[in-house]
Amino acid sequence: QVQLQESGPGLVKPSETLSLTCTVSGYSISNGYVWGWIRQPPGKGLEWIGTIHHSGSTYYNPSLKSRVTISVDTSKNQFSLNLSSVSAADTAVYYCARSGVLVAEKYFHHWGQGTLVTVSS
Amino acid sequence: EIVLTQSPGTLSLSPGERATLSCRASQSVSSIYLAWYQQKPGQAPRLLIYGASSRATGIPDRFSGSGSGTDFTLTISRLEPEDFAVYYCQQYGISRTFGQGTKVEIK
């Protein structure tokens, strides 16, 4: 059974870069699927941040594209999120998740438990 | 960007009642690219429905999805106590976007 676990600092200063890692167990990232990040500000809805194919191809939310980098490290079975120049508006629970490769399968069927990141000085 | 608008914002119902949740898209979405998720407080979202009407593994048959074009519906035939939660629709045909959610609360 695949499991995903987010990790990283819970507090980031304004203007700095938010960095999170998702560690996958029970499945080898290099075998396939698409891996993504979704966030949820406190008390609000879900926002897709971006996804990365196991081959390394990336797709980002246009509204965040200029600040987002998602990368994959198959040797560690992890993928990562970097979000630069953060502000209080980036305070959210950040989830990592897995989706299918084909367009018809790009729903998120496995999720991590989420990690709260607060942007504050 | 395809905007998904969910209604109502909050649905107040009693256990055993039928819940009907709406998701309207700003432009046509192929029905195979529409999903529904359930989220309980402090938990990650859980996939309920994909392809507008296919139940995910382990999802009870009281949950059903329907719709096409710009109008989609999630129906819970008889609410169980564990069904009171927030529900989100998502389209994944053009990029990915989520609706703002509908909260189903106990009346």
Side-chain angles (χ1 to χ4, degrees):
Chain A
Q1 174 74 344
V2 63
Q3 291 187 317
L4 298 89
Q5 178 68 58
E6 306 87 351
S7 60
L11 181 64
V12 180
K13 290 182 169 55
S15 80
E16 295 189 344
T17 296
L18 178 160
S19 296
L20 295 173
T21 296
C22 183
T23 300
V24 180
S25 58
Y27 185 83
S28 175
I29 287 180
S30 59
N31 284 346
Y33 286 106
V34 170
W35 308 87
W37 290 95
I38 302 99
R39 69 180 182 179
Q40 184 172 37
K44 296 187 178 180
L46 301 165
E47 179 180 33
W48 171 67
I49 299 171
T51 52
I52 187 164
H53 190 269
H54 66 93
S55 65
S57 300
T58 53
Y59 304 88
Y60 300 136
N61 185 325
S63 68
L64 298 170
K65 186 175 183 178
S66 63
R67 299 194 291 129
V68 173
T69 302
I70 296 175
S71 58
V72 64
D73 186 338
T74 54
S75 67
K76 296 182 179 179
N77 219 35
Q78 296 174 335
F79 62 103
S80 298
L81 168 69
N82 278 353
L83 180 66
S84 63
S85 305
V86 297
S87 69
D90 296 308
T91 294
V93 174
Y94 285 76
Y95 295 98
C96 59
R98 187 181 87 172
S99 75
V101 175
L102 301 177
V103 176
E105 299 174 346
K106 289 187 175 179
Y107 43 84
F108 295 105
H109 45 79
H110 287 93
W111 295 67
Q113 65 185 28
T115 188
L116 175 63
V117 179
T118 301
V119 178
S120 175
S121 56
Chain B
E1 175 184 296
I2 296 178
V3 177
L4 300 178
T5 302
Q6 293 186 239
S7 61
T10 302
L11 200 50
S12 298
L13 295 167
S14 300
E17 291 193 294
R18 181 185 188 90
T20 303
L21 288 67
S22 173
C23 175
R24 177 162 291 178
S26 60
Q27 58 184 278
S28 185
V29 175
S30 172
S31 61
I32 62 174
Y33 304 146
L34 197 287
W36 290 91
Y37 300 84
Q38 176 194 67
Q39 187 179 34
K40 297 179 181 179
Q43 296 185 16
R46 177 175 71 144
L47 177 69
L48 296 176
I49 301 286
Y50 63 92
S53 60
S54 297
R55 275 187 299 277
T57 302
I59 301 304
D61 60 7
R62 63 180 181 273
F63 291 92
S64 63
S66 63
S68 63
T70 59
D71 291 303
F72 298 88
T73 300
L74 174 70
T75 301
I76 310 171
S77 59
R78 287 179 57 86
L79 282 164
E80 296 288 340
E82 62 267 28
D83 299 336
F84 292 91
V86 180
Y87 293 83
Y88 295 95
C89 58
Q90 181 216 355
Q91 70 80 24
Y92 44 95
I94 300 176
S95 188
R96 290 171 171 86
T97 50
F98 290 91
Q100 84 280 16
T102 289
K103 181 180 182 180
V104 179
E105 66 176 21
I106 300 176
K107 186 175 181 179

